[in-house]
């Protein structure tokens, strides 16, 4: 006779990278901060090691007007980060125009490991 099957989640182990160097492995909240940051810095559909749900579509905003970009960047941030099943909610608090080329997005997300601040810069044109 066998007992009930107990399923346990595997920890979210990843490499801790600081100043371009791998220091050790870690998991939990700190690993999740790194995961969200990496999602927001990785262009989707470019790197074959990632599936088509990983990364962001910010490149689609290049050459668009700031009016269009400020509306779309909120959707894109939410879509990119929520693709990770450890993320429960995403909130964009502010979209700031840094200069004629760059938007900065401020917000937060709630994950299974706790809340994480989001900050990302998005280029809209090169002129």
């Amino acid at each position: 006779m066998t007992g009930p099957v107990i399923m346990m989640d595997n920890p979210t182990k990843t490499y801790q990278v600081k100043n371009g160097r791998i220091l050790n492995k870690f998991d939990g909240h700190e690993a999740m901060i790194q995961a969200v940051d990496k999602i927001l810095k990785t262009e989707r559909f470019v790197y074959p090691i990632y599936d088509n749900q990983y990364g962001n579509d910010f490149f689609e905003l290049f050459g668009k007007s700031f009016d269009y970009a400020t509306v779309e960047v909120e959707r894109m941030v939410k879509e990119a980060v929520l693709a990770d099943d450890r993320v429960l909610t995403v909130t964009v608090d502010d979209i700031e125009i840094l200069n004629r080329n760059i938007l900065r997005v401020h917000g937060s997300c709630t994950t299974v490991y706790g809340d994480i601040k989001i900050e990302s810069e998005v280029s809209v044109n090169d002129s």
Side-chain angles (χ1 to χ4, degrees), residues 37-54:
D37 184 56
K38 185 147 176 28
I39 289 167
L40 293 173
K41 290 181 177 175
T42 302
E43 188 174 323
R44 195 157 73 151
F45 307 122
V46 172
Y47 304 98
I49 62 169
Y50 301 120
D51 71 22
N52 64 2
Q53 296 301 308
Y54 187 87

Side-chain angles (χ1 to χ4, degrees), residues 50-127:
Y50 301 120
D51 71 22
N52 64 2
Q53 296 301 308
Y54 187 87
N56 68 70
D57 296 321
F58 298 154
F59 63 91
E60 292 179 4
L61 298 176
F62 198 78
K64 306 291 190 216
S65 72
F66 275 114
D67 291 338
Y68 177 81
T70 53
V71 171
E72 281 297 293
V73 75
E74 180 173 356
R75 179 191 61 77
M76 289 178 171
V77 166
K78 289 179 177 181
E79 184 179 282
V81 178
L82 284 169
D84 189 311
D85 61 2
R86 298 167 295 177
V87 177
L88 307 173
T89 63
V90 177
T91 304
V92 173
D93 299 319
D94 184 47
I95 300 169
E96 164 186 17
I97 297 175
L98 289 184
N99 58 43
R100 65 182 184 199
N101 304 324
I102 299 173
L103 295 173
R104 181 180 291 154
V105 180
H106 299 273
S108 62
C109 65
T110 301
T111 74
V112 296
Y113 298 106
D115 293 344
I116 296 172
K117 289 186 186 276
I118 293 174
E119 185 173 308
S120 185
E121 290 186 3
V122 180
S123 295
V124 253
N125 64 55
D126 62 359
S127 57

